[in-house]
Amino acid sequence: MTGASSKPWGGRYSAETAREVDQFTASLPFDQRLYREDIAGSMAHARMLARQGIITDEECQSLLAGLAGILAEIEAGVFPWRLELEDVHMNIETRLREKIGPTGGKLHTARSRNDQVALDMHLYVRAQVDGLLEELRQLQATLADLAEQYIDAILPGYTHLQRAQPVSLAHHFLAYFFMLQRDRERLADARRRVDMLPLGAGALAGTTFAVDPAAVARELGFERRYANSMDAVSDRDYLVETLSALALVAAHLSRLGEELVLWSTSEFGFLEMSDAYTTGSSIMPQKKNPVIGELLRGKTGRVYGSLLGLLTVLKGLPLAYNTDLQEDKEGTFDAWDTVRACVRIATGALQTSRWRTDRMLAASGQDYMLATDLADYLATKGIPFREAHAAVGAVVARAHGAGASLAEIPLDELRQICPAFGDEVYELLTPEAAVARRNSPMGTAPAAVREQLALADRLVGQAPGTIAWVPVE
Ligand code: ARG
């Protein structure tokens, strides 16, 4: 500390950093939240330095005690954060020297902020992945419970947002269940590349000290360490991968959100969200707005933004560490906060909503949604499906012209269009029959849905950490 600068790195400096520069370059306002990871990483590093004989046991004990004291100060809200110390790392190290004296200056032996911050982010994201995996599992459990409850409820299934064919409400819930299952698989897979230790890389080239990264990896519970120090300090691919997995979670939740909005309209009326999960209008007293659904939809934008932002930061960066990489944090933190909140709120919204199965069923008998069943019927009589399709199209046109439903067209008129029509055709023309007859694998018949549900129950019942797809059949 001989230079005119008060910075830990100020030795060669003859002037203080401009205040404006401190403000522009500091990451402290957003990397403060890494304090737990930073301290855990420093403690593991200090123990390794002692085991390797790089510092004495006594020095190690003093570093550990100092770091524990700092953790307590931060958690008690009395830690003196200083913006001019740039980031969480230098704040903690500076405080350590204040608390335990010059020995504190030994902590940074054989380490750089470049491998230190990489370690902190790996630890942080690993914990986030584990938290989200459990939250997703709970959302899935909620969807499976709803599916169990509504296996016999029928609603219109849509394509092009036009009524297409009736489906079981359980089937609809389970569609989301399996999207989220793949999200969990994706996160669990990306976690393998989060679960790597970068510490020991030094600034970029390794270190002149006899460090033992394998031992640090074991202590911090990492599966493996990076093989190459320049890679370890300069890539952020594990953040991109996890952000990309988050982007897909957000995409899936945005679709659910859109359906919450749509189904809450008077036009659909399939759903009444609870008072606790809706908000009102400041002018229109009658309003009950599905804001949760709107925000599940809307918050997707910032998650995609974070992914795109980080990909853009990485593009064309020369090796190894560059300060550009400091820009990895805000988007990453925001995406994790956002997606985890969305998953939790979606769970609550689903658990507290009232599903208007009466309205769903009423909507399922309309609009010629059973036309495919008629075409399938003719096809089973040996008529090529394409011809059957045309014949039923003519039936629909006739019914439409007469303002009638399919079941209201008398048999002789059906036979004029296609002689293969028989009396039993009318039995097909209920939503219940249409659902029950789609008993193919993946289908919407109660038995086929029960099979999906059994798989879903096995998937949510798996021990934490085992996210394996159970093969069907
Ligand atoms: N605050 C920095 C970051 O978030 C820590 C690493 C800085 N390293 C350096 N040599 N300036 O990336």
Side-chain angles (χ1 to χ4, degrees):
M1 329 298 132
T2 47
S5 163
S6 56
K7 295 284 161 62
W9 42 252
R12 63 158 288 175
Y13 279 73
S14 53
E16 286 289 2
T17 320
R19 182 70 191 157
E20 198 185 20
V21 172
D22 276 342
Q23 273 160 0
F24 184 69
T25 58
S27 52
L28 184 67
F30 49 86
D31 69 15
Q32 262 185 41
R33 69 156 84 190
L34 293 172
Y35 71 87
R36 268 190 231 98
E37 289 76 12
D38 200 67
I39 289 172
S42 286
M43 286 179 160
H45 182 65
R47 288 195 194 98
M48 183 277 294
L49 290 178
R51 277 196 307 272
Q52 297 300 101
I54 300 167
I55 60 172
T56 67
D57 284 339
E58 224 168 59
E59 287 167 338
C60 175
Q61 287 317 313
S62 157
L63 291 173
L64 294 177
L67 287 166
I70 288 172
L71 181 63
E73 285 181 2
I74 297 175
E75 310 235 276
V78 297
F79 184 89
W81 296 106
R82 286 154 56 190
L83 188 77
E84 62 279 11
L85 290 174
E86 297 181 18
D87 53 29
V88 65
H89 324 292
M90 291 210 299
N91 267 271
I92 290 175
E93 191 196 315
T94 304
R95 183 74 183 139
L96 187 62
R97 281 187 279 115
E98 278 170 17
K99 284 171 80 81
I100 68 168
T103 303
K106 294 205 167 186
L107 176 63
H108 213 52
T109 312
R111 184 176 77 170
S112 151
R113 266 188 296 161
N114 299 347
D115 56 348
Q116 184 179 0
V117 71
L119 169 61
D120 292 4
M121 289 298 278
H122 277 81
L123 286 170
Y124 181 85
V125 172
R126 191 176 64 178
Q128 292 295 316
V129 170
D130 291 342
L132 179 58
L133 284 174
E134 176 52 23
E135 286 156 355
L136 283 170
R137 201 185 65 80
Q138 282 170 22
L139 176 53
Q140 287 181 292
T142 297
L143 287 160
D145 284 349
L146 287 167
E148 176 89 58
Q149 216 175 314
Y150 290 108
I151 219 154
D152 294 318
I154 294 177
L155 78 161
Y158 294 80
T159 64
H160 312 269
L161 201 53
Q162 304 287 317
R163 289 178 187 167
Q165 292 172 351
V167 294
S168 148
L169 178 54
H171 198 209
H172 199 109
F173 286 133
L174 287 171
Y176 285 106
F177 178 99
F178 290 109
M179 295 178 214
L180 298 173
Q181 180 64 25
R182 289 191 298 280
D183 286 331
R184 280 209 296 152
E185 284 184 34
R186 234 181 314 273
L187 281 162
D189 183 65
R191 189 190 188 283
R192 296 169 48 219
R193 286 167 298 280
V194 175
D195 203 14
M196 292 173 71
L197 176 87
L199 195 73
L204 76 164
T207 165
T208 57
F209 293 93
V211 293
D212 184 4
V216 177
R218 272 195 302 280
E219 180 171 341
L220 293 173
F222 284 107
E223 179 86 43
R224 55 194 164 138
R225 62 167 169 83
Y226 279 84
N228 177 300
S229 61
M230 295 180 80
D231 174 35
V233 290
S234 70
D235 206 353
R236 297 292 184 267
D237 56 352
Y238 68 102
L239 296 179
V240 170
E241 269 192 87
T242 42
L243 281 172
S244 154
L246 291 183
L248 281 167
V249 175
H252 290 153
L253 293 182
S254 77
R255 303 185 73 176
L256 177 67
E258 167 63 7
E259 296 202 324
L260 295 179
V261 171
L262 215 50
W263 288 15
S264 298
T265 58
S266 329
E267 287 76 4
F268 271 78
F270 291 175
L271 171 66
E272 200 181 315
M273 293 184 74
S274 114
D275 282 1
Y277 280 82
T278 48
T279 63
S281 154
S282 59
I283 173 172
M284 296 169 281
Q286 85 283 10
K287 289 295 287 283
K288 196 170 155 182
N289 294 327
V291 287
I292 300 294
E294 295 166 78
L295 287 174
L296 289 176
R297 215 169 49 185
K299 284 186 183 288
T300 306
R302 59 203 289 166
V303 180
Y304 291 4
S306 296
L307 170 62
L308 262 289
L310 182 57
L311 281 168
T312 310
V313 164
L314 293 180
K315 181 185 177 297
L317 269 193
L319 294 182
Y321 180 85
N322 299 272
T323 304
D324 310 47
L325 293 172
Q326 179 167 293
E327 290 292 315
D328 64 354
K329 291 184 191 57
E330 284 157 291
T332 293
F333 294 153
D334 185 71
W336 281 102
D337 291 347
T338 301
V339 171
R340 292 188 62 183
C342 285
V343 171
R344 291 191 298 262
I345 207 87
T347 305
L350 290 178
Q351 283 168 347
T352 53
S353 287
R354 192 168 143 238
W355 307 91
R356 296 289 310 273
T357 52
D358 52 334
R359 301 251 329 173
M360 294 177 187
L361 184 63
S364 304
Q366 300 168 359
D367 296 316
Y368 314 118
M369 287 175 65
L370 307 172
T372 315
D373 294 76
L374 286 193
D376 286 354
Y377 165 85
L378 291 178
T380 59
K381 301 251 159 180
I383 297 179
F385 182 79
R386 191 49 58 215
E387 283 169 37
H389 185 290
V392 176
V395 174
V396 171
R398 177 166 310 194
H400 188 62
S405 71
L406 295 178
E408 283 162 357
I409 307 293
L411 187 59
D412 59 321
E413 286 187 38
L414 290 178
R415 282 202 168 123
Q416 276 167 23
I417 294 170
C418 178
F421 276 118
D423 226 358
E424 69 282 10
V425 72
Y426 295 101
E427 285 158 32
L428 305 177
L429 292 177
T430 67
E432 290 82 357
V435 167
R437 295 176 70 244
R438 284 184 172 73
N439 201 16
S440 54
M442 300 183 255
T444 200
V449 172
R450 274 206 187 84
E451 205 176 286
Q452 296 176 43
L453 193 54
L455 174 57
D457 284 340
R458 268 186 288 160
L459 292 169
V460 281
Q462 283 175 340
T466 36
I467 294 143
W469 187 269
V470 182
V472 190
E473 277 149 349

